[in-house]
Amino acid sequence: MCKPSAANPDRQVLPTNVKPTHYDLTLQPNLNTFVFYGQVKVNLDVNEDSKTIVLNTRDVKIHSATVSSVALKTESTQTATDITYDEKKDLATLTFNEAIPANTKAVLNMSFQGELNDQMAGFYRSTYKDAEGNTKYLATTQFESTDARRAFPCWDEPSLKATFDVTLVVPSELTALSNMDVIADKPYQDTGKLTGKTEGKTEGKTEGKTEGKTEGKTEGKTEGKTESASVSLKEVKYATTPLMSTYLLAFVVGPFEYIEAFTSGEYNGRPIRSRVYALPGSVEQGRHALNVCIAALEYFAKVFGEPYPLPKLDMVAIPDFEAGAMENWGLVTYRTVALLFDEKSSSIVFKKSTAYTVCHELAHQWFGNLVTMEWWDHLWLNEGFATYAGWLAVAEIFPEWDVWTSFVNEDMPRALNLDALRSSHPIEVCVNDPAEIHQIFDAISYYKGASVIRMLSSWLGVDTFLAGVRRYLRRHRLSNASTDDLWVALSEEANVDVSQFMTLWTKRVGYPVLTVEQNKGEDKIKVTQSRYLSTGDLSQDEDETVWWVPLNVLVAGKTESYTLTEKSQTFDAPSDGLFKINAGQTAVYRTNYPIDNIRALGDEIKKGPKGLLSDTTDRVGLIADAGNLSVSGEQTTAAFLELAQAFVNEENYFVWSQLSTHLGKILGVWSGQPKEIRDSLKSFRRSLFAPIAHKLGWQVSENDDYLTSILRVLAITNAGRSNDEATVEEAKKRFWEFVGGNSEAIHPNLRGPVFNIVLGAAEDEQEEHKMWEEVLKIYRDESLPSDQRLVALNCLGGIKSETLIKRYLEMSLDEKEIRGQDSFYVYSSLSANPDARDLFWEFFTEHFSRLHDKFSKSLSLFGAAVKCAVGGFVSLDRIKEAEAFFADKDTKEYARSLEQALEGARVNTHWVNRDHALVADWLRDNAHKFA
């Protein structure tokens, strides 16, 4: 169990002798030399007599430091006599001759410099091409979780909130943005104050003569002269921020254009100015995101009961960006593909992802920014809630998208699949070392957190739940809070002890599988809970948690609201077996029914809307449970294939999507089985999807609704990848027309499916090479929307040619060819390709040091690469080889990713070894139905 901050001596936190209350920060980035200079004045509350001040820095050199205190008797200001660094712990210690007295206020003034790095962390540079094709640079920030210290010396912990005054000195022609609105914009005369010409001598005294002279005299003068002589500068000053954590501060400098809109002001009390900023020529693609933004800002003000507290909300598309987006207060930054959507040229699947990402980040403006987690143990409070609230807003703005079924189909499985591993972790994780934080930005914090919140809100009632959230936000506004604080507010609102049962869900790893037993003819069921592991080998000491589990038993005409609170209990149920546990799939568990009950539910599926499972989420949930229980061995893969046949007349996208996921997984894990088995599995998949593909056809109509449009994409993909002749033939025909110049030949929604189908169905290596080069041209075409280019990049991995696979891998190392953030598309594509896995592993081991260095400051990307390299294995020999390779490596920074990948590979290996004969028999016995 995690201890609270005050009771946890292992947590690496700063001394509490002083506390910052306000920062006055000035920065001057140079986009030619990639150096930035800065000055920061920090107002401090002095809690103890202090001769030393310890704060966070990383890759920042402090040139000078002085402290002023009204309580000093001899002089008001003194200079630091020594500045030392602990690089392992990201600390700088400033030493002064005279103690600063306790219970006084002081001002610490520091000048410093740092590097605009290319690692997508801290204050960094991002590349783009201008109209002439020249490489240019912009400056931006990514501070979460602990990288504000890369931009300026600070107290870089979430609970040490302060206000900020920010001033940026930048070239006059560029746009400079920060969290708040601009209050002054004037020409800047370079006096050398920031660029080191006057600060070098002091640093010589504190840091060593040689270093001080070099930085102060040579580099400082060069930077100052170069920039001021050749570039007209301006000084942009921003309004003071509210109290906020350092990780939410942000600044962006570049040649941006913007579009603007205002919210209605109905719930915020005033219209909120909202803008989308993007590089020249692409800003109109931000219109969809802007429309979502102005709707979501009013919606959240309504449901959270608090107006948005800042004067404006800017959203910026950044070319190089590690995550999907970052919720900096008032200045949200995004990967280009996560913010920009071209109504004419983008695939419709990106419309929903853009809307969701915007809503997720705007939910953070309240849940995370207005009220912030006390420490990183409570990261899920930020991410789990923003995931839930993000979908809540999308459901309000786009009700036709049926987003809660989408959540059950996509987000819940991400959480449950990871949490079914021994190497998973609780929602609340003890974080002592800041180096560990990036490893918990995963499916547990985001999607299990959101799933548990959805379960709780469903049980309490959404209105009661949101009333409790409003109470929590009011109570902790502009402060910090823990998970227990949320439970207290919800308990007060609902008049039940929420923490009593929710603590099990947040502080214990895993979730239960409910095993249902029913004797024939009896109107009772016995329900027993145990921890679900996808390995299927649960030991007694791993099965100690007894979860509080809402059953919600669906029977004809109603839902019975039972709750399982013991290891095993008996409940009423129809004797004919026609019931489904977890109605609406609102709770977090798997259900293991007897085979007779599964067959009875299969018959209900065939009845369509008249059957018991008329709600789409219930059909999706039944497939998800059966598919995953076949992996762990509680059910068989043959039984899952039998259940899948019941959906032959299904019409809903989400049901087909869930079937596609599990059939695709079976084909991937069975990739090493004999060809006739693989072909039979493809025939089975073809028998399900080809009729829908043929029915919907290739012609996209403006009258098609959203779900029809994405069902067409799914059906054509599955039919084509299952070698349906008509689909493959049409895909090839349209492909050659498209690359020949007819852009109408393939609708943007269908370009990814077509590229995948034709590369997978190439008749020989020569045709494969020819097609691959054409898809590569599409990826390289910078006039296309970013989502279309990334679709092409991902499809390039679906090949058999050893030459092309090696070339694709080499491209991933070349930043001019593939941005570091986009290398994941390469690695995930090859991991899913059985013909490429061995070559990918060979490449990964050969270039391990280079890859580690490449992603050393973006370790979540390196962890993803590790998962891709290892996770696709379905051979115990390969797994042993991977274990041996990592045995002598320091894996601390990516240990979770590695453990999860190895365990996932073991799960798949045991699964196919256990079930391959049963599947072969089933395919042989049923071949006449789908051959």
PDB file of all heavy atoms in Angstrom, residues 615-631:
ATOM      1  N   ASP A 615     -29.498  -5.021 -26.567  1.00  0.00           N
ATOM      2  CA  ASP A 615     -28.555  -3.923 -26.338  1.00  0.00           C
ATOM      3  C   ASP A 615     -27.182  -4.305 -26.889  1.00  0.00           C
ATOM      4  O   ASP A 615     -26.641  -5.364 -26.562  1.00  0.00           O
ATOM      5  CB  ASP A 615     -28.454  -3.617 -24.839  1.00  0.00           C
ATOM      6  CG  ASP A 615     -27.664  -2.344 -24.570  1.00  0.00           C
ATOM      7  OD1 ASP A 615     -26.436  -2.354 -24.814  1.00  0.00           O
ATOM      8  OD2 ASP A 615     -28.260  -1.358 -24.131  1.00  0.00           O
ATOM      9  N   THR A 616     -26.632  -3.433 -27.719  1.00  0.00           N
ATOM     10  CA  THR A 616     -25.355  -3.740 -28.381  1.00  0.00           C
ATOM     11  C   THR A 616     -24.243  -4.035 -27.384  1.00  0.00           C
ATOM     12  O   THR A 616     -23.418  -4.937 -27.601  1.00  0.00           O
ATOM     13  CB  THR A 616     -24.929  -2.561 -29.280  1.00  0.00           C
ATOM     14  OG1 THR A 616     -26.005  -2.224 -30.148  1.00  0.00           O
ATOM     15  CG2 THR A 616     -23.717  -2.931 -30.118  1.00  0.00           C
ATOM     16  N   THR A 617     -24.188  -3.281 -26.283  1.00  0.00           N
ATOM     17  CA  THR A 617     -23.102  -3.492 -25.322  1.00  0.00           C
ATOM     18  C   THR A 617     -23.126  -4.904 -24.757  1.00  0.00           C
ATOM     19  O   THR A 617     -22.068  -5.470 -24.448  1.00  0.00           O
ATOM     20  CB  THR A 617     -23.174  -2.483 -24.155  1.00  0.00           C
ATOM     21  OG1 THR A 617     -24.472  -2.555 -23.555  1.00  0.00           O
ATOM     22  CG2 THR A 617     -22.899  -1.075 -24.617  1.00  0.00           C
ATOM     23  N   ASP A 618     -24.304  -5.502 -24.624  1.00  0.00           N
ATOM     24  CA  ASP A 618     -24.384  -6.859 -24.086  1.00  0.00           C
ATOM     25  C   ASP A 618     -23.827  -7.878 -25.076  1.00  0.00           C
ATOM     26  O   ASP A 618     -23.163  -8.843 -24.678  1.00  0.00           O
ATOM     27  CB  ASP A 618     -25.826  -7.200 -23.719  1.00  0.00           C
ATOM     28  CG  ASP A 618     -26.293  -6.456 -22.476  1.00  0.00           C
ATOM     29  OD1 ASP A 618     -25.490  -6.362 -21.530  1.00  0.00           O
ATOM     30  OD2 ASP A 618     -27.423  -5.958 -22.466  1.00  0.00           O
ATOM     31  N   ARG A 619     -24.050  -7.670 -26.351  1.00  0.00           N
ATOM     32  CA  ARG A 619     -23.486  -8.580 -27.364  1.00  0.00           C
ATOM     33  C   ARG A 619     -21.970  -8.415 -27.443  1.00  0.00           C
ATOM     34  O   ARG A 619     -21.233  -9.395 -27.519  1.00  0.00           O
ATOM     35  CB  ARG A 619     -24.145  -8.325 -28.733  1.00  0.00           C
ATOM     36  CG  ARG A 619     -25.649  -8.515 -28.710  1.00  0.00           C
ATOM     37  CD  ARG A 619     -26.263  -8.698 -30.087  1.00  0.00           C
ATOM     38  NE  ARG A 619     -26.101  -7.599 -31.000  1.00  0.00           N
ATOM     39  CZ  ARG A 619     -26.787  -6.451 -30.991  1.00  0.00           C
ATOM     40  NH1 ARG A 619     -27.691  -6.236 -30.038  1.00  0.00           N
ATOM     41  NH2 ARG A 619     -26.584  -5.523 -31.913  1.00  0.00           N
ATOM     42  N   VAL A 620     -21.517  -7.163 -27.404  1.00  0.00           N
ATOM     43  CA  VAL A 620     -20.067  -6.909 -27.409  1.00  0.00           C
ATOM     44  C   VAL A 620     -19.422  -7.550 -26.185  1.00  0.00           C
ATOM     45  O   VAL A 620     -18.374  -8.209 -26.276  1.00  0.00           O
ATOM     46  CB  VAL A 620     -19.781  -5.385 -27.436  1.00  0.00           C
ATOM     47  CG1 VAL A 620     -18.288  -5.116 -27.203  1.00  0.00           C
ATOM     48  CG2 VAL A 620     -20.219  -4.782 -28.764  1.00  0.00           C
ATOM     49  N   GLY A 621     -20.058  -7.392 -25.023  1.00  0.00           N
ATOM     50  CA  GLY A 621     -19.505  -7.942 -23.786  1.00  0.00           C
ATOM     51  C   GLY A 621     -19.437  -9.452 -23.801  1.00  0.00           C
ATOM     52  O   GLY A 621     -18.470 -10.051 -23.301  1.00  0.00           O
ATOM     53  N   LEU A 622     -20.458 -10.097 -24.362  1.00  0.00           N
ATOM     54  CA  LEU A 622     -20.464 -11.562 -24.436  1.00  0.00           C
ATOM     55  C   LEU A 622     -19.293 -12.067 -25.281  1.00  0.00           C
ATOM     56  O   LEU A 622     -18.597 -13.019 -24.900  1.00  0.00           O
ATOM     57  CB  LEU A 622     -21.793 -12.041 -25.030  1.00  0.00           C
ATOM     58  CG  LEU A 622     -21.980 -13.559 -25.081  1.00  0.00           C
ATOM     59  CD1 LEU A 622     -22.090 -14.148 -23.682  1.00  0.00           C
ATOM     60  CD2 LEU A 622     -23.235 -13.903 -25.908  1.00  0.00           C
ATOM     61  N   ILE A 623     -19.061 -11.404 -26.415  1.00  0.00           N
ATOM     62  CA  ILE A 623     -17.933 -11.796 -27.282  1.00  0.00           C
ATOM     63  C   ILE A 623     -16.604 -11.563 -26.563  1.00  0.00           C
ATOM     64  O   ILE A 623     -15.702 -12.415 -26.597  1.00  0.00           O
ATOM     65  CB  ILE A 623     -17.960 -10.984 -28.597  1.00  0.00           C
ATOM     66  CG1 ILE A 623     -19.214 -11.292 -29.394  1.00  0.00           C
ATOM     67  CG2 ILE A 623     -16.718 -11.281 -29.440  1.00  0.00           C
ATOM     68  CD1 ILE A 623     -19.493 -10.279 -30.495  1.00  0.00           C
ATOM     69  N   ALA A 624     -16.472 -10.401 -25.921  1.00  0.00           N
ATOM     70  CA  ALA A 624     -15.218 -10.055 -25.239  1.00  0.00           C
ATOM     71  C   ALA A 624     -14.892 -11.071 -24.154  1.00  0.00           C
ATOM     72  O   ALA A 624     -13.742 -11.523 -24.031  1.00  0.00           O
ATOM     73  CB  ALA A 624     -15.300  -8.651 -24.652  1.00  0.00           C
ATOM     74  N   ASP A 625     -15.900 -11.450 -23.364  1.00  0.00           N
ATOM     75  CA  ASP A 625     -15.668 -12.417 -22.291  1.00  0.00           C
ATOM     76  C   ASP A 625     -15.303 -13.782 -22.855  1.00  0.00           C
ATOM     77  O   ASP A 625     -14.335 -14.423 -22.413  1.00  0.00           O
ATOM     78  CB  ASP A 625     -16.901 -12.536 -21.399  1.00  0.00           C
ATOM     79  CG  ASP A 625     -17.074 -11.327 -20.481  1.00  0.00           C
ATOM     80  OD1 ASP A 625     -16.152 -10.489 -20.426  1.00  0.00           O
ATOM     81  OD2 ASP A 625     -18.127 -11.225 -19.835  1.00  0.00           O
ATOM     82  N   ALA A 626     -16.063 -14.245 -23.847  1.00  0.00           N
ATOM     83  CA  ALA A 626     -15.800 -15.577 -24.421  1.00  0.00           C
ATOM     84  C   ALA A 626     -14.429 -15.622 -25.084  1.00  0.00           C
ATOM     85  O   ALA A 626     -13.678 -16.603 -24.938  1.00  0.00           O
ATOM     86  CB  ALA A 626     -16.898 -15.936 -25.422  1.00  0.00           C
ATOM     87  N   GLY A 627     -14.074 -14.554 -25.801  1.00  0.00           N
ATOM     88  CA  GLY A 627     -12.779 -14.524 -26.480  1.00  0.00           C
ATOM     89  C   GLY A 627     -11.621 -14.564 -25.506  1.00  0.00           C
ATOM     90  O   GLY A 627     -10.645 -15.291 -25.710  1.00  0.00           O
ATOM     91  N   ASN A 628     -11.720 -13.803 -24.438  1.00  0.00           N
ATOM     92  CA  ASN A 628     -10.611 -13.753 -23.477  1.00  0.00           C
ATOM     93  C   ASN A 628     -10.547 -15.000 -22.600  1.00  0.00           C
ATOM     94  O   ASN A 628      -9.452 -15.447 -22.239  1.00  0.00           O
ATOM     95  CB  ASN A 628     -10.720 -12.495 -22.633  1.00  0.00           C
ATOM     96  CG  ASN A 628     -10.267 -11.264 -23.394  1.00  0.00           C
ATOM     97  OD1 ASN A 628      -9.080 -10.997 -23.524  1.00  0.00           O
ATOM     98  ND2 ASN A 628     -11.221 -10.528 -23.944  1.00  0.00           N
ATOM     99  N   LEU A 629     -11.690 -15.559 -22.268  1.00  0.00           N
ATOM    100  CA  LEU A 629     -11.680 -16.785 -21.461  1.00  0.00           C
ATOM    101  C   LEU A 629     -11.140 -17.959 -22.250  1.00  0.00           C
ATOM    102  O   LEU A 629     -10.628 -18.928 -21.665  1.00  0.00           O
ATOM    103  CB  LEU A 629     -13.084 -17.071 -20.929  1.00  0.00           C
ATOM    104  CG  LEU A 629     -13.569 -16.069 -19.861  1.00  0.00           C
ATOM    105  CD1 LEU A 629     -15.060 -16.247 -19.599  1.00  0.00           C
ATOM    106  CD2 LEU A 629     -12.780 -16.217 -18.566  1.00  0.00           C
ATOM    107  N   SER A 630     -11.199 -17.897 -23.565  1.00  0.00           N
ATOM    108  CA  SER A 630     -10.572 -18.956 -24.365  1.00  0.00           C
ATOM    109  C   SER A 630      -9.053 -18.831 -24.337  1.00  0.00           C
ATOM    110  O   SER A 630      -8.337 -19.821 -24.461  1.00  0.00           O
ATOM    111  CB  SER A 630     -11.090 -18.913 -25.804  1.00  0.00           C
ATOM    112  OG  SER A 630     -10.610 -17.781 -26.507  1.00  0.00           O
ATOM    113  N   VAL A 631      -8.551 -17.613 -24.153  1.00  0.00           N
ATOM    114  CA  VAL A 631      -7.101 -17.402 -24.034  1.00  0.00           C
ATOM    115  C   VAL A 631      -6.578 -18.030 -22.751  1.00  0.00           C
ATOM    116  O   VAL A 631      -5.546 -18.713 -22.733  1.00  0.00           O
ATOM    117  CB  VAL A 631      -6.757 -15.900 -24.076  1.00  0.00           C
ATOM    118  CG1 VAL A 631      -5.263 -15.685 -23.810  1.00  0.00           C
ATOM    119  CG2 VAL A 631      -7.146 -15.289 -25.409  1.00  0.00           C
TER     120      VAL A 631
END
